[in-house]
Amino acid sequence: MTKFRHRGPAAVLACVAAVATVAACGGNDAGGSGGGGGGGDQVAVSLITKDSTNPFFVAMQEGARAEAEKDGVDLTIGAGKEDGDEQGQVQLIENAIAGGQKGIIITPNGPGVNSAIEKARDAGLYVIALDTPPDPADTVDITFATDNFKAGELIGQWTKGQLAGKPATIALLDLFNDKVVSVDYNRDQGFLTGMGIDTKDKQKNGDEAATGNYDGGTYTIVCNEPTGGAEDGGRTAMENCLTKNPGINVVYTINEPAATGAYNALKAAGSTGALIVSVDGGCDGVKEVTDGVIGATSQQYPLKMAELGVKAIADYAADGTEPTTSPGLDFYDTGVALVTDQPVDGVESITSADASKICWG
Amino acid sequence: MATTSAPTGAAQELAKRRQTPAQRVQHVLHSYPAVSPAVILVLAVVVFTALNPNFAQPNALSLLVQQTAVVAALAIGQTLIILTAGIDLSVGAITILATMLSATLASENGLPGILCLLVGVLVGVGAGALNGLLVTRVNLPPFIVTLGTLSIFTAIALLYSGGQSIQDDELPGLLNWTGEAIRPFGPGSFYITTGVLVVALLYVVVGFALSQSAWGRHVYAVGDDPEGSRLAGIQVKRVLLSVYAAAGLIYGITAWVLIGRAGAASPNAITDANLASITAVVIGGTSLFGGRGGVLGTLLGALIVQSFASGLSLAGVDDQFRVLAIGVLVIVAVSVDQWIRKVKA
């Protein structure tokens, strides 16, 4: 999917050898000018992602490129060095202001970029957040994102339907336990809410009662373990949970790589039949639904987020029309779909075959 | 060092008797750097078992070993380099580079598993040797060299793989063979993985080479006193180069263990490998100033770190206390090392 995947090692080495050109390797097809002055009357827009390697953000870049070409927008693509790199994003925002651009589309790496965003808006740029709303949400003009709480709620409802009243012994495999991230608690708490478990504070993982009743039966929460959102972290987390209680039959995972790791831990322990649920809807994850590794996953649409973002700024530049938030939310919901091959009554879902046609990554 | 003649032995015996208790402890610690981590590990196991008896279940202990395997393997390479008074910040980067190269060659280019594995291991050796060449030929400090190659190798790995994980169903069986479980007592019982056996074998081989071969003696000598070693006729640069290449070889093999462990080749795995490996080495009693320590201590150090993680998690204690405790252990370990050196002088 990314270009480099198919190039030989020699090409990569040659590219890296010219040390300063790593950025150029990433993709300097930013509408030709590479983000210069936004010359003429062409609308210039910057897309700034958290990093440039996560397939989720790579999908965003692809979506933005396609839309920019359609709308005749001069697109500059930039990214933080890694998830959490606020300083790198601040510089890219400042570049956009200095370049006289019309707008910025950003997946903010943290509150450290807020003041730079405010500077941009003061300078007349239209700023759209993608995927993660900043805190506070009105730091930007609007956010286009997945409703992560709903994404969690859908897999919770599905799990509840699958259990049909059986006791639930639950492992919660989260993203971090040393940082509070909205995606993390929204999915986790959404999942529990979907099961019908009282979560107490909706912005706090792990404060719910360890045992009690879900909507239909009794539950036990065995663990809240961090995975870092990667396979090895998912495996270690699941192993720790199984040591606490080998009878786990429901596994919530923050994302699909963590689900892969959890599955491998369960398989190695000889434990079969646990329901694994996740969120993301990347092509690898959807395939795992097909293969029966993951029972259900909530699919997000990063490509669409980026397309909508570029189009919104183009429209705003043309005649001042501004996008509006979805009813009842403080952001524009780009949609989420439950992907499963074992549908549950009353929970809307699509099959993995259909999801594989619209997956990303 | 050598006690060949009887009078010297007697004199040493006499000197021993005049030692204060502190000096005696110091003498033991000096002779056997693995003693203090061994004591800490035993204490940790006792305490964590008291907090939650599940900790000492055979199944939990076997998981502890599996969870330690990858960092313990990387820490072998780190030990070799630290023994020469160097440091390696590119541990994780080389491993991920080898992981992503061999996995991508398999999934995208359809090369047979054995070839992909071989390429991964050779890339590890090559990357390690590059570090070694920059240290010995360009005379750059190891810290700077590996700080640079950390970025370079990481970038190549990400560019080449597009930042994507490669799932195990796209990989030939050999590449994730290291994830297979061995159950000595039948299904449902405790198990280890073949990857753990690979790591154990690495420990035996490197431990043997360090303690029994001329090369091993040279590694210690170069780390202790490079100038003296040179005067004694040791080819210091060649030894250093061999150490960096050997470390790279170990990282290449660890990449294989990592694929089996994660069940996929992921560029986001082992993000904390550099610090984790250094931590294991330091807690294991190998001196950051070179020339003293060994892989047995490192193995114990890695096990200590993981038993704190698992033990505190089982006891329901906040994970930050593990981070705190490991920090204290690192400082204590280096203080002990300094104390040993001071009293000896």
Side-chain angles (χ1 to χ4, degrees), chain B residues 1-14:
Chain B
M1 193 176 276
T3 53
T4 42
S5 61
T8 320
Q12 274 196 345
E13 196 53 41
L14 205 65

Side-chain angles (χ1 to χ4, degrees), chain B residues 274-300:
Chain B
N274 296 333
L275 290 179
S277 67
I278 295 169
T279 305
V281 173
V282 171
I283 292 179
T286 293
S287 170
L288 274 174
F289 311 101
R292 209 179 64 79
V295 288
L296 177 60
T298 297
L299 178 60
L300 296 171

